Amino acid sequence: MFRPNFILLALGWALLQQVHLANAWPTPHQLSQWLPHFKSQRPQTQPDFARRNFETMSRIYNLTVYPNQLPILGGGGAAAPPGLFTQDVRGRVTPVGDFEDFEHSIEYFFSLSPVPQGNAVKGAITGYRIVEFSSQCPEIAASVVYLYCSVVDPGSPDHGRPLPALKQVAFWRFDSQGTVAYYDAWIPNLHSWVELTNGGVPVSDPQFQASSITQICTLTQLRCHGENRQWDSIEQCIADLSQKPYGNYDEAWGDNIACRSIHLVLTQVRPDVHCPHVGPTGGGKCVNAPYAERYFSDESLFGSPSGETFVCK
Ligand SMILES: *[C@@H]1O[C@H](CO)[C@@H](O)[C@H](O)[C@H]1NC(C)=O
């Protein structure tokens, strides 16, 4: 499992120069394959919105590739390049949650991208490819991206060994500048991916669960001080969390350990905001929201009825 350990973040910076990034930018030939209508309709006057939207998508996913996410991990939304998300962007990333502002969107898209120093296999996203893409009007696009993972451990024979890839399926709505205003994204099979990157150890393994709880408690005590403090002691935290269900990574939103293990990453970025999410109450994020609220809250999330947000008018 990708276990973040930002104490070692500085080491990550030292490794930057040595990391080989897969080139993710498609050739013009690939682009024409992925945009079948780009050429086939009105070739002389084809608007370039599809290409513009593709580029926004591409720039977003490029920032999940290690080490491109590190400035955002350190500096939050202020370190994000302009033009990707609007200031009041909102969206959903199933199975993690709803994100109701710019800072949350930035954090959940980029700060959760694994750093090699933070997990047992030294894995990170090292390349991406937008494998499916469609944009039939300037406001809307749909995409599927493969996020390729591999071992980042320069000097070791393991360096570059491919790890299981992640997939993200997403619908996007843009403002008039081609900046993302709303998104509805889904990472399928996250649970299997966690198990595979953890060497095939099932999440149900009691030792895995115990060490995950210990890690959450150790790092929470380390990062959440003063008003952000969640537990009296690591022992208290372990005792409390051991009473909660572990949960599963395909439905991580809940009052469980899987949810807290994801939100734990962000306690490093903004402890005041994220410490409560890993604490006893779940801080409104790791809580047992009803099914309909977790997956069908389009109206409150996007401000328009279901079926209105991601369609060309
Ligand atoms: C991806 O990020 C790298 C590093 O910042 C940059 O050199 C490259 O141009 C970017 N590619 C795209 C398609 O944005």
Side-chain angles (χ1 to χ4, degrees):
M1 170 187 177
F2 283 132
R3 292 192 183 149
N5 183 345
F6 299 99
I7 300 161
L8 294 174
L9 196 59
L11 179 61
W13 282 107
L15 295 174
L16 297 194
Q17 307 311 318
Q18 301 162 57
V19 177
H20 172 77
L21 297 182
N23 184 356
W25 187 242
T27 63
H29 172 68
Q30 286 170 324
L31 251 187
S32 67
Q33 281 183 326
W34 299 344
L35 301 174
H37 301 289
F38 204 77
K39 283 185 172 161
S40 58
Q41 295 169 345
R42 297 186 299 149
Q44 304 308 316
T45 56
Q46 183 62 241
D48 61 1
F49 60 79
R51 177 156 185 120
R52 179 199 69 181
N53 293 344
F54 184 94
E55 283 179 7
T56 302
M57 243 76 289
S58 193
R59 288 176 61 214
I60 286 173
Y61 287 118
N62 196 25
L63 281 172
T64 68
V65 173
Y66 179 82
N68 300 348
Q69 83 274 37
L70 293 186
I72 297 174
L73 197 50
L84 299 183
F85 292 101
T86 64
Q87 280 310 307
D88 40 15
V89 61
R90 297 163 74 86
R92 173 190 294 130
V93 182
T94 305
V96 182
D98 288 351
F99 306 110
E100 280 136 14
D101 62 29
F102 176 79
E103 202 67 35
H104 277 101
S105 296
I106 292 290
E107 288 169 356
Y108 282 88
F109 260 90
F110 307 122
S111 303
L112 289 178
S113 182
V115 293
Q117 297 76 29
N119 62 86
V121 292
K122 297 198 161 62
I125 295 169
T126 46
Y128 70 97
R129 185 166 171 200
I130 299 171
V131 293
E132 291 157 31
F133 179 78
S134 174
S135 182
Q136 303 294 322
C137 62
E139 300 81 32
I140 310 294
S143 62
V144 177
V145 66
Y146 290 175
L147 300 166
Y148 297 110
C149 301
S150 65
V151 173
V152 179
D153 192 10
S156 133
D158 225 19
H159 183 57
R161 179 170 63 85
L163 296 168
L166 280 167
K167 176 189 268 197
Q168 186 171 77
V169 182
F171 275 77
W172 310 87
R173 172 173 274 277
F174 305 87
D175 72 1
S176 59
Q177 312 298 309
T179 305
V180 173
Y182 298 112
Y183 54 90
D184 190 2
W186 176 44
I187 304 170
N189 315 315
L190 186 57
H191 192 81
S192 297
W193 180 87
V194 168
E195 293 188 329
L196 283 168
T197 51
N198 191 41
V201 179
V203 168
S204 60
D205 181 83
Q207 247 184 314
F208 170 87
Q209 299 194 350
S211 81
S212 178
I213 289 174
T214 302
Q215 192 200 28
I216 292 169
C217 291
T218 310
L219 290 178
T220 302
Q221 288 305 95
L222 199 65
R223 296 171 182 168
C224 303
H225 313 285
E227 298 206 331
N228 302 329
R229 193 174 170 87
Q230 300 299 313
W231 317 92
D232 290 338
S233 64
I234 293 177
E235 292 68 30
Q236 185 60 53
C237 170
I238 291 174
D240 284 6
L241 288 189
S242 299
Q243 301 301 309
K244 294 189 188 289
Y246 193 88
N248 93 70
Y249 287 95
D250 286 335
E251 279 195 283
W253 185 347
D255 185 7
N256 58 43
I257 310 307
C259 182
R260 285 175 173 78
S261 75
I262 292 174
H263 288 258
L264 176 70
V265 183
L266 301 170
T267 56
Q268 178 72 11
V269 185
R270 282 192 298 163
D272 53 324
V273 174
H274 297 286
C275 284
H277 305 160
V278 297
T281 68
K285 286 287 181 190
C286 290
V287 295
N288 292 327
Y291 173 84
E293 187 184 315
R294 280 179 293 166
Y295 304 120
F296 297 92
S297 59
D298 298 26
E299 206 145 345
S300 64
L301 186 59
F302 301 124
S304 52
S306 302
E308 302 272 319
T309 312
F310 300 100
V311 290
C312 294
K313 293 280 160 66

